[in-house]
Structures are given as C-alpha cells and as structure tokens.
Amino acid sequence: MTEPARPSPTAAPAASASRAPLPFDRGHTDDLMAFLAASPSPYHAVANAAERLEKAGFRQVAETDAWDGTSGGKYVLRGGAIVAWYVPEGAAPHTPFRIVGAHTDSPNLRVKPLPDSGAHGWRQVAVEIYGGPLLNSWLDRDLGIAGRLTLRDGSTRLVNVDRPLLRVPQLAIHLDRSVTADGLKLDKQRHMQPVWGLGGDVRDGDLIAFLEETAGIPAGEVTGWDLMTHSVEPPAYLGRDRELLAGPRMDNLLSVHAGTAALAAVAASSSQPASIPVLAAFDHEENGSQSDTGADGPLLGNVLERSVFARGGSYEDRARAFAGTVCLSSDTGHAVHPNYAERHDPTHHPRVNGGPILKVNVNNRYATDGSGRAEFTAACEAADVPFQSFVSNNSMPCGTTIGPITAARHGIRTVDIGVAILSMHSVRELCGADDPFLLANALTAFLER
C-alpha cells in the first residue's frame, strides 16, 4: 500500500545544487522495517547485511584463505559480526580507512544449555538474561525463537520460528496488590521463564528436537545452539501522521542497516572515494564487547592490517593508514522523554526526527572530542542533514558504546553518533520515521569524504 503524503517539518533541507540528490529517502525506512523483521538474532542480521552487500557486488573472503590486493568490495563473516570494506582502484597500501562501527546484538532472553523445564503442568523453556533488557517489556508478549544451530559436522544453520511460540505470563494483580503501591518487582531467575505448552513430564531434548524438525535437520544432528527469543509483532509506523517508527532491536540494527546501505551506495558511486570505506558491525556490545566477535576483540584490527598487507604494504604503511583513519561509532541514544524530561541534561534535548545525534562525554564514555565534532559536522553539511548534540545529565550515569573501545584498542580517531530513540532496551523501541534515512545520508557523506 502506498503511504499517504504527510508533512515533515523536521526533514533534511533540500540538497544543494552542487550536490547530487541524496541516495536515501522514506523508502530507506520501509526497508529498515523489513530488515528488523528478518533479523531476530545477530546471526540473521549479518546474513541479511551480507546479502545486501552481495547484491552491490561485494564478495565474501575467508579468514583462513590468503587475501589478494585487488580492488572492489569484500567482507568477512564471523559468528554474529561482519566487517566489510571497499578498496577503490589504485588505492595505495597506506590509504586510510573511514569506518562506520555498530553492533548487532540487543538485550533479550537467551536459551540455556538445558532448555527443557516446567512445573505444575506447564512446559517451559529455561532462559538466561542477556544484556540489560527492560524486563517488564517482555511480559505478556508473543515470542518466537531464533538463532544458530551447530551440527555434528561443525556446520551451522540459522533457524527462526517467527510465530507465537512462547510467553512470559505476568502475575495477575489480584495475586499481588502491592504492585500498585510498590511497583513491579521481577526476579530474573524465577519470574522470567516463558511457557510454551502443557504437559506433566518434562522431556529433555524436546525444544531442540522441535527446532530440528522446523529447520529440516535430521533428528539428533544438532549438538550446539545459540538461541534467543524475540517479539513476533512486526515493526510499524505509529502516530496520527505516521511520523514515528516502533519496532524491535533498533538498538542497534538501525545503525547496522544504515551503515550497510551507506557502504553499498559509496561502492556503487561513479566517483571513487579517497579513503577505504568500512562497515564493522560487532556482536556482544550489550555485555562488554569482550569476545572474538566483539569490538574489544582482534577482528577489526586483523581485517584492516590484512587489507594493508594484501596490497603490498609494510608495517610503516599500516601505521600511516591507521593514523589517518576515522571511525563513526553509530549507536542509538536517548531522545528527550516527555514524561521524564528532568532525567535529561536541561540544555541538551535531542528530539526525534531532528537528525542524528553527536554523543559527547568528557569522561570518555563516548569517544567524541572537538576534532570529532568537526568531522561529523562536515559530513552532515555535505549531506544537508541536520544533527543534534547529546550529553547526559550530570546526576545520571552515562552509558557507553564501542567508540572508546575502538579508539583505545586500535589508536583510531573515533566519534560517537547515532539516532535518538525512546524505550531503549525495551522489547519494542521508538524512533522518528525520518531519522533512519537522515543517518544513512550522513554516513554516506562521511564514507565518501
């Protein structure tokens, strides 16, 4: 169905006459909705990003193979992470990189090693809390299950049961009147185990057998799994004028999608970029990034170094390339909340549909400094995209991102940015419907520079 026209007072200004039309418009947001729905796990997210890059001419390279120095688009997949880059024709070994960093994981409920449980005639799935979800938002939701299955031969298969399968039922108010006075209090172990059926006997192996059947895998072939729950409610436009977007996992698949689109657009451009544009989307940001697929692991550094050496570079070329490299760490941030405005800094109130936000914290919870602000300003001006500034209220602890980790681990100048949202870490988050394509346009201009 074609969406009716609507006013957009906060849309980006028209492109200047000296610049080609911006590559992304409201269709980008429509595509984001499809990407969110198709990416219930980090493994699905990187597979979908890779599929989009393949269509743009990129090819996958294996970390176990020798790499060549040919030009063009390439990418590496490792678990729930992807690093993709485009080498322009004639790029020197010391050519610097321009990186868009993001993460693929979101807080959720993840399946335990012994998943089959239950009590009092209910069959349940044992789950562990991943990251820092707003637990109440997972109550009374129709949940599916998705992730990665590992087979006896070491191969992996993606699985996605995208229908109402599980539910974490909330206790009726009649059985706990204290919630009206004291608020809802949830025990992560006792109160967050979902039900998925009825039966007096708990049978070990039931869940995995069900997933084997669903994925068309012979019984008994699955020996490992990385599984998680997700809300099956699809993303949707919201509001009288449909100027808002509600959906799951926008922290931080919104940035992964925008970075993928921007990298593909730059690779398809008739003008070759002066630097090597890169997308680095990591797993495990929500629990500290310390893994072989996290930002605190060696993946990004290995890829960048091997790219330099594959083009005949030396350690000196690697040092020169890294010294000229800039990374935009793109992650969602906090829009001013109309019901809790006092929780925000009184002079910094990012608004949805006001353009991407520049995130600043002088205690290095974000990596942005003055030169980084100038870098992002230049990209937004080139794209004719408005942007806003975010700092935390001094009385509130500040979150962090992959930005400081990337800067410290690789010695790369890094700037923290993102899109302002409400309900961060909820099973369903809320942003402005214009902000995703404004971000994508800013990222494209950054990678082109």
Side-chain angles (χ1 to χ4, degrees):
M1 182 178 71
T2 302
E3 184 188 356
R6 61 179 181 82
S8 183
T10 55
S16 64
S18 61
R19 178 180 169 82
L22 297 174
F24 302 115
D25 55 20
R26 188 61 176 272
H28 174 88
T29 305
D30 295 335
D31 189 63
L32 168 62
M33 295 168 70
F35 184 81
L36 292 173
S39 304
S41 77
Y43 313 107
H44 288 82
V46 298
N48 289 323
E51 181 181 8
R52 283 165 159 76
L53 292 171
E54 290 272 358
K55 291 178 180 178
F58 285 68
R59 61 182 177 88
Q60 183 176 1
V61 294
E63 292 184 83
T64 53
D65 291 345
W67 292 4
D68 59 48
T70 56
S71 60
K74 306 170 188 180
Y75 68 90
V76 165
L77 287 181
R78 185 193 288 186
I82 183 171
V83 180
W85 66 103
Y86 177 79
V87 180
E89 289 284 351
H94 62 269
T95 300
F97 302 92
R98 295 184 77 80
I99 304 167
V100 171
H103 67 88
T104 60
D105 60 319
S106 300
N108 56 20
L109 312 179
R110 302 209 171 185
V111 176
K112 288 184 175 180
L114 300 176
D116 300 291
S117 67
H120 307 292
W122 293 97
R123 296 174 66 190
Q124 295 177 275
V125 173
V127 296
E128 188 174 4
I129 309 301
Y130 177 82
L134 286 171
L135 293 179
N136 63 292
S137 71
W138 288 84
L139 302 178
D140 297 329
R141 294 273 185 177
D142 295 335
L143 303 177
I145 195 167
R148 178 179 67 173
L149 302 173
T150 303
L151 280 56
R152 291 186 181 278
D153 62 3
S155 63
T156 59
R157 294 275 292 276
L158 298 184
V159 64
N160 181 14
V161 183
D162 196 32
R163 66 170 177 85
L165 181 68
L166 308 101
R167 187 179 180 93
V168 182
Q170 188 169 190
L171 183 65
I173 192 171
H174 313 79
L175 303 179
D176 185 9
R177 298 286 185 180
S178 67
V179 298
T180 56
D182 302 331
L184 181 64
K185 298 178 181 179
L186 295 171
D187 183 283
K188 293 180 180 180
Q189 179 62 39
R190 292 184 296 123
H191 300 152
M192 296 306 298
Q193 306 306 310
V195 299
W196 77 306
L198 300 173
D201 297 323
V202 175
R203 297 184 295 274
D204 289 340
D206 269 4
L207 177 66
I208 300 306
F210 165 75
L211 294 176
E212 286 176 329
E213 181 181 2
T214 300
I217 298 171
E221 282 299 301
V222 172
T223 56
W225 51 88
D226 302 279
L227 298 166
M228 57 206 71
T229 62
H230 66 277
S231 171
V232 299
E233 185 180 2
Y237 288 110
L238 183 144
R240 184 193 66 181
D241 298 320
R242 305 178 77 189
E243 59 196 338
L244 301 171
L245 175 64
R249 300 176 295 281
M250 286 195 277
D251 178 13
N252 185 32
L253 294 188
L254 189 158
S255 295
V256 175
H257 177 260
T260 302
L263 180 60
V266 173
S269 175
S270 58
S271 59
Q272 293 286 288
S275 300
I276 296 174
V278 179
L279 168 68
F282 302 101
D283 201 353
H284 301 133
E285 188 272 349
E286 297 293 355
N287 63 7
S289 295
Q290 292 184 322
S291 71
D292 68 325
T293 53
D296 204 18
L299 179 59
L300 176 61
N302 286 350
V303 169
L304 299 184
E305 288 181 347
R306 292 184 69 177
S307 176
V308 170
F309 299 149
R311 285 176 280 122
S314 62
Y315 182 82
E316 182 71 11
D317 292 315
R318 179 259 187 214
R320 292 175 66 189
F322 276 45
T325 293
V326 184
C327 174
L328 289 189
S329 165
S330 182
D331 202 348
T332 54
H334 303 294
V336 61
H337 197 302
N339 299 336
Y340 300 91
E342 73 281 0
R343 301 296 182 96
H344 299 265
D345 182 86
T347 59
H348 293 76
H349 281 177
R351 302 192 178 196
V352 299
N353 285 338
I357 55 174
L358 180 73
K359 300 158 80 171
V360 178
N361 179 264
V362 295
N363 293 300
N364 287 337
R365 300 293 284 173
Y366 302 131
T368 307
D369 61 9
S371 65
R373 178 184 175 89
E375 188 75 51
F376 188 57
T377 298
C380 289
E381 288 178 347
D384 291 321
V385 166
F387 75 91
Q388 310 172 82
S389 294
F390 170 83
V391 295
S392 291
N393 186 306
N394 284 326
S395 300
M396 300 284 171
C398 181
T400 190
T401 68
I402 65 167
I405 294 172
T406 302
R409 181 170 183 84
H410 306 294
I412 290 173
R413 186 156 58 104
T414 303
V415 189
D416 272 297
I417 66 159
V419 162
I421 69 171
L422 293 182
S423 306
M424 187 182 293
H425 287 198
S426 172
V427 73
R428 200 163 173 83
E429 296 161 324
L430 185 70
C431 76
D434 293 338
D435 282 330
F437 71 79
L438 293 176
L439 173 66
N441 284 310
L443 296 182
T444 302
F446 166 74
L447 293 178
E448 286 176 338
R449 285 172 52 78

